Amino acid sequence: MATFRQRALDEAATHKTERFYVEEGPVSGYFGKNVLDLDKMRGYMSQEAYEAVVASAEFGAKLDRSVSNEIASGMKAWAIEMGATHYTHLFQPLTDSTAEKHEAFISLKDGKPFEKFNGSALVQQEPDASSFPNGGLRNTFEARGYSAWDPSSPVFLMDGTLCIPSVFVSYTGEALDTKAPNLKSMQALSNAATAVVNLFDESVSAVKVNLGIEQEYFLVDESLYNARPDLMLSGRTVIGHTASKDQQLEDHYFGAIPSRVSSFMKDFETEAYKLGILLQTRHNEVAPNQFECAPVYCGATKAIDQNMMLMIIMQKVAEKHHLKVIFHEKPFAGVNGSGKHCNWSLMTDTGINLLSPGKTPTKNLQFLSFYASVLRAVHKHHFLLMTTVATLGNSYRLGGNEAPPAVMSVFSGSTLYGVFQSILNMKDQKVSSDRQESIKIVNAIPEIFPDNTDRNRTSPFAFTGNRFEFRAVGASQNVASAVYVLNTMVAESLTEFREEVDALEAAGTGREEAVMAVVRRFISEAKDIMFEGNGYSREWEEEAESRGLRAVKNVPEAYEVYHENQTVELFEKTGVLAPNEVEARFEILNEIYVKKLQIEARIIGDLCLNHVLPAAVKYQNILIENVKGVKDIFGDSYAELCSAEIETLKKISSYINSVSADVAALVDARKRANKIEDIAQRAKVYSHEVKDMMHKVRLNADHLEMLIDNEMWPLPKYRELLFF
Ligand code: ADP
Ligand code: MG
């Protein structure tokens, strides 16, 4: 067999099931061991410094310089006790990954070594990360990017390094990351939501966002992965014929977890527990070798930071197991892709879930106010929200027949849907209707337990009893980039909700009637976003269009939404992003899209020219020799005797020709596109010409895979990559 592939298969066969990370005793004994949470901090600093951290962590107060030295020295003491030698600011640039630059604690004073870490190293670091995308916000030659600890996220220890979760901003204060706008969006949302809750409950003074992030991923044996340049360099297979059996029988979903995988899961769970990540579920997903894990939900900042850490831990632990974790949204054609389901809810500082229907009419009125405000926000900004998950990787997944479609809709479940219908049908069109009727409706909302709700897995944004589940987010994305947009649009909607209620009250309407009237107005404005049917169906696509819902059909074209007034205004008036920050994001998104597609296009060209075509030509020669031999022996009757070989030869020749010609055309298309100065324009050309041509190349290369002797095929096949 082709030696490259054979060696990989042989090596893969030697990889065993083992455990590498085992802790003694119950999980509760070591849970959070590597995190310096508020409780532990208390023992490492004065009461004054500790209180400053608490005020900052819980209420967003600015950390005073006067105490930062003491806080830093407390952190250093803890980290050194735990064996740390380095520290790093861990930040989340706009590339969906995390970034770190490690600094040693060790320093010299008067020729003597000592461990140094002071307040200015904690609250401000200059990583000089000049090559991160900044969309023109930062001139590489002049200004630098600064990172500063986000006190709402505790510092922790990983690999002997004290990790400091940080925001990353430009010299002049503009956000260069996803964390800074997310923190701002949560503040805006808290203010707006508190104003609405206060209509019902004066005791609430803040509202926080809770997130539960389900993470899907694929596992591939490391040796096979290393024999697939496309997986290594782009995270997905750019060619590869589907296996005869993949997910048709749905026998993988919730099936027994293979033992090698289960050891890997237990190991990364142990490491996650030490970092205080409360992983709760693990199971097989639909596609072969696809799995999922989910932690218990918590505050949004923590949930996002933990998800980013989890992705790092999983990769690190996988190395020991000779496995590779694939977070790409669509690593394998023909089987399901991977998402990161984002369970989102709002909770008051008094512990009330605002998206939970309740037992009393007042609680239900409050629930309806929030539900209607979310609906209206998602309706008004449906295209923007969908665009937050529009990446190159996700574009291969969304709209496929097993993933949520690229058009936004909200699924409410039959009970709630019925309630909204009766609210819309209320008689009086002006304000509420008679009070009795609205009370009747409000009373009719039962407490919905998550288990009871009908599930609709075809909806990109589904209500699941006490939260919304945004299912379209991509598995490799930093969810912050979707969540801060959602938070911001809901903040806008809630602000308007309160304003309208105030206006009605000022005009003499009673509070309940006023609330009900605004609920009804919001639902009526947003009714087109509600859809209870099969979101994967062709009919819905048409129906959505007729309702004026815009689908993301092309990624760079969708990015134009960042130029629409409605978007720029939304971010500006909520204080989440200034117009130049929005513009920077637009440019960065286009830049990343182009770069990723360029890499994929190069890889497919390389694979075809250096792997596929040489194998095809070799096999073609064998067939030619065979036909010649038959002719030597049998003379003229060879044509009839060799009809099958000749037919195959013709097919192979024709595919070889198409692949060669299409790869050349692909290179041309890329070169033409690269000449386009404007990045947004270049991205659009890439998305049409380059992407289409890649698809064509793949089709014919995959035909060749089916024709060529298995022994000669150089790359591990789907059936080898996808089954343990
Ligand atoms: P499923 O796959 O059925 O949706 P999972 O158990 O895999 O369910 O994941 C559900 C996720 O939703 C978990 O992370 C869970 O903690 C989270 N979750 C549950 N309740 C809430 C809530 N009120 N707000 C946010 N997330 C929640
Ligand atoms: Mg789910």
Side-chain angles (χ1 to χ4, degrees), residues 530-584:
M530 287 193 270
F531 180 64
E532 301 291 300
N534 177 6
Y536 294 176
S537 67
R538 181 91 206 109
E539 295 78 55
W540 167 234
E541 240 177 87
E542 285 160 18
E543 163 82 15
E545 202 173 321
S546 74
R547 291 187 190 184
L549 298 175
R550 294 153 69 193
V552 172
K553 293 195 173 127
N554 173 292
V555 172
E557 280 163 19
Y559 291 157
E560 291 296 334
V561 72
Y562 289 102
H563 281 160
E564 290 172 16
N565 285 342
Q566 185 173 279
T567 307
V568 179
E569 276 166 26
L570 167 73
F571 288 120
E572 194 170 21
K573 75 177 169 212
T574 47
V576 173
L577 290 175
N580 65 337
E581 291 176 306
V582 177
E583 180 59 23

Side-chain angles (χ1 to χ4, degrees), residues 604-672:
I604 198 170
D606 166 57
L607 282 184
C608 287
L609 298 183
N610 304 318
H611 298 250
V612 172
L613 293 181
V617 170
K618 251 187 235 161
Y619 185 53
Q620 197 185 27
N621 278 331
I622 290 180
L623 291 178
I624 291 171
E625 284 308 312
N626 172 271
V627 175
K628 275 192 194 155
V630 175
K631 192 174 175 187
D632 284 350
I633 299 170
F634 297 101
D636 282 351
S637 55
Y638 85 95
E640 200 191 325
L641 289 171
C642 292
S643 58
E645 287 94 322
I646 291 172
E647 209 37 53
T648 308
L649 262 176
K650 282 188 191 157
K651 279 191 198 156
I652 291 179
S653 303
S654 134
Y655 290 135
I656 287 178
N657 288 338
S658 337
V659 170
S660 311
D662 293 344
V663 167
L666 179 62
V667 174
D668 272 355
R670 232 173 56 215
K671 287 194 172 148
R672 268 199 314 278

Side-chain angles (χ1 to χ4, degrees), residues 661-691:
D662 293 344
V663 167
L666 179 62
V667 174
D668 272 355
R670 232 173 56 215
K671 287 194 172 148
R672 268 199 314 278
N674 290 343
K675 288 212 181 77
I676 302 170
E677 191 65 34
D678 180 63
I679 186 72
Q681 200 47 39
R682 195 186 320 150
K684 287 183 192 101
V685 173
Y686 256 94
S687 74
H688 289 291
E689 294 177 20
V690 175
K691 209 170 174 218

Side-chain angles (χ1 to χ4, degrees), residues 482-543:
V483 165
Y484 82 76
V485 176
L486 175 62
N487 292 343
T488 307
M489 60 181 63
V490 173
E492 177 196 50
S493 187
L494 284 167
T495 302
E496 286 166 17
F497 189 93
R498 175 70 203 236
E499 282 166 7
E500 290 191 21
V501 171
D502 286 351
L504 285 174
E505 279 196 291
T509 314
R511 171 143 315 167
E512 268 179 30
E513 280 98 322
V515 167
M516 204 55 197
V518 182
V519 163
R520 191 165 60 142
R521 198 187 80 62
F522 274 27
I523 292 175
S524 134
E525 187 184 316
K527 62 180 183 305
D528 280 341
I529 199 73
M530 287 193 270
F531 180 64
E532 301 291 300
N534 177 6
Y536 294 176
S537 67
R538 181 91 206 109
E539 295 78 55
W540 167 234
E541 240 177 87
E542 285 160 18
E543 163 82 15

